[in-house]
Every structure is written in structure tokens, then in C-alpha cells.
Amino acid sequence: MSKLRVAVLGGGGRIGSEAVRAVEAAEDMELVASLGRGDKLETLVDAGAQVAVDLTTPASVMGNLDFCVRHGIHAVVGTTGWTDERLAQLKGWLDQSPETGVLIAPNFSIGAVLTMKFAQIAAPWFESVEVVELHHPNKVDAPSGTATRTAQLIAEARRKAGTAEAPDATVTALDGARGADVDGVPVHAVRLRGLLAHQEVLLGGEGETLTLRHDSLHHSSFMPGILLGVRRVGSAPGLTFGLEHFLDLG
Ligand SMILES: NC(=O)C1=CN([C@@H]2O[C@H](COP(=O)(O)OP(=O)(O)OC[C@H]3O[C@@H](n4cnc5c(N)ncnc54)[C@H](OP(=O)(O)O)[C@@H]3O)[C@@H](O)[C@H]2O)C=CC1
Ligand SMILES: O=C(O)C1=N[C@H](C(=O)O)C[C@H](O)C1
């Protein structure tokens, strides 16, 4: 059977370099290109890439995806910075190239995907819910893509269940003291040397609390999800948002 021809954009970065090694080690894949900032995207076409993995920056990802979709190259995207406007623009490009698939995964690790799922289930059952994400200090965006998505899913679950707003008597606060407001859910971002990627969802009800915590201790935690995305994205035309759609979580 012929191998999947895979390129990595951002192949010199923290997660990109790990992805390059993972693709090289996968028996059913061939790494045909690893691109850094300033490298020509035409290389993807010359190399015959079927799937591009984007692990670059929020400032670069849209240009990369515009190129990939126009050239019918499927994309697996871990890069953060997604807004409704960006998603709408991407969907517009995909409408012009209906056989192309793009997977955007706010987090490729199975533990993080499950944390989001558990948070969705728990959120309507508690009065209060807040998200704390903790990352290495080289991260350029805050809050993390994972925390943003987690908060959106929590808010959606509470809206559907008709849950009341979380109690909060704060009348005076320093800027940022109560975190960022993501769909009504406070999200707090910590940047600390020594950390990689961590998240807590704190839920509180009368007389009890529940804490969901996930820790990515090494970039290897993201690799099975990236490889799964690469294998599946070609048979999922259009936009898939979230790795959970490629997992049978019940
Ligand atoms: N979804 C997930 O599970 C995960 C997502 N991420 C996300 O992945 C992204 C990358 O993170 P991280 O590896 O820590 O960041 P790094 O800064 O270490 O890596 C980004 C890399 O992309 C390169 N780059 C920038 N622009 C381009 C471009 N146009 N074409 C090709 N390469 C480019 C950078 O080059 P240069 O250094 O020259 O600027 C750098 O090597 C972030 O958005 C992060 O949040 C990270 C981990 C897991
Ligand atoms: O920048 C990182 O490191 C990570 N970014 C992603 C995010 O913003 O959620 C995924 C993971 O948290 C690691």
C-alpha cells in the first residue's frame, strides 16, 4: 500500500519538530517536506504532499490554509488563534474545494479531549465553573486554544440545560483579576517556567467541588492525535473542529 505523503509546517518548532519525528517513524507515512518561516509553500505542491500538518503561529496559519485548500492539500491544524471570523473565512475557502478536508484540533492529546468531554457533562450540575490553564512562558497566545474551547463547550452545555449564571458578588476588581470572560465562563491563564501544557476545570456546588485536571508532560502526548488526524482527514471533506469527531467517545 502506498504511504501517505505528509508535510509539516512549523517543523522546526517545539511541537513541529516532534511531529516531524512522529511522521518519519510512522510506517504508513512519508515525510515529504518540513517547512519553516520564509520557506515557499509551493514546496508542498512540488513534493506532492497529500496532507499538511500546521503547527505554526496564529499569524501564519490562515495564509498556509488558504494555500493548502486552493491546492487540494488536506490539513491537520494544531495552531491556535481561532475566531468565528477566521472559521467562516476557512469554510468559504473549503466551499470552493469541496473534496478537501481540514481538521482543527484545539488539543491533540486524548486526556485533554476527554477533559473537555467530562467538563461538558459536569457543567450543568454545578453552580460555579471556572477554567485555569497553565503553560510554558514561551506561549504567544492567551488564553490557550484548549481553554477557550473548553469554556465554549461548558457555556453551550449550561445554556442547553438552562443553568443559571454562576454566582459572583465581585463589585471591584483589578483588571484581569477575574480572568478572561469566554462566553460567560472565567478563564485564567498562568505562564510558568517548567510547565508544558496543563488545565484545570473547577466546578463548585453547595458543599462540594469537583476538579478536572489534565497535564501534558511532554510533546509526545500530542502525537497519536496528530497521526490519527493525518490518517482520517482525507476522508472527511470540509471542516472538522475537534479531534473528538475522529474518536468513538460514545
Ligand atoms: N493542538 C495541540 O494539541 C497543540 C497546539 N499547539 C499550538 O501549536 C502552535 C505552535 O506551538 P509551538 O511549537 O510551541 O511554537 P513554536 O514557536 O515553537 O513553533 C512555531 C514554528 O512555526 C514556525 N513558523 C512561523 N510561521 C511559519 C510559516 N508561515 N510557515 C512555516 N513555519 C512557520 C516558527 O518559525 P520561527 O521560529 O522562525 O518563527 C516556529 O518554528 C501554537 O499555536 C500552539 O498553541 C502546541 C502544542 C499542542
Ligand atoms: O502552546 C502550547 O504549548 C499548546 N497550545 C495548545 C493550546 O493553546 O491549547 C494546546 C496545548 O495546550 C499546548
Side-chain angles (χ1 to χ4, degrees), residues 6-68:
V6 182
V8 178
L9 304 176
R14 279 178 290 273
I15 182 170
S17 52
E18 187 81 20
V20 162
R21 284 191 287 278
V23 170
E24 281 174 334
E27 288 184 356
D28 56 342
M29 294 177 200
E30 182 183 356
L31 181 79
V32 296
S34 170
L35 270 55
R37 184 191 294 279
D39 288 343
K40 286 195 175 1
L41 288 170
E42 284 70 22
T43 307
L44 299 177
V45 177
D46 298 342
Q50 295 168 291
V51 181
V53 180
D54 192 297
L55 300 164
T56 61
T57 66
S60 297
V61 66
M62 291 305 278
N64 292 342
L65 289 180
D66 182 17
F67 181 93
C68 287

Side-chain angles (χ1 to χ4, degrees), residues 4 10 12 20 32 41 79 93 95 110 113 141 149 181 187 205 216:
L4 257 176
V20 162
V32 296
L41 288 170
T79 308
W93 296 337
D95 287 345
I110 183 70
V113 173
D141 56 315
R149 186 64 186 149
D181 180 329
V187 179
S216 267

Side-chain angles (χ1 to χ4, degrees), residues 4 25 31 100 150 175 193 247:
L4 257 176
L31 181 79
T100 308
T150 305
D175 271 359
R193 183 70 68 205
L247 299 167

Side-chain angles (χ1 to χ4, degrees), residues 44-105:
L44 299 177
V45 177
D46 298 342
Q50 295 168 291
V51 181
V53 180
D54 192 297
L55 300 164
T56 61
T57 66
S60 297
V61 66
M62 291 305 278
N64 292 342
L65 289 180
D66 182 17
F67 181 93
C68 287
V69 172
R70 269 191 291 114
H71 290 84
I73 300 169
H74 309 294
V76 170
V77 182
T79 308
T80 45
W82 290 99
T83 59
D84 288 345
E85 293 71 27
R86 282 183 166 215
L87 290 172
Q89 192 171 16
L90 174 57
K91 281 182 194 154
W93 296 337
L94 283 164
D95 287 345
Q96 305 301 311
S97 182
E99 289 180 6
T100 308
V102 173
L103 166 68
I104 298 173

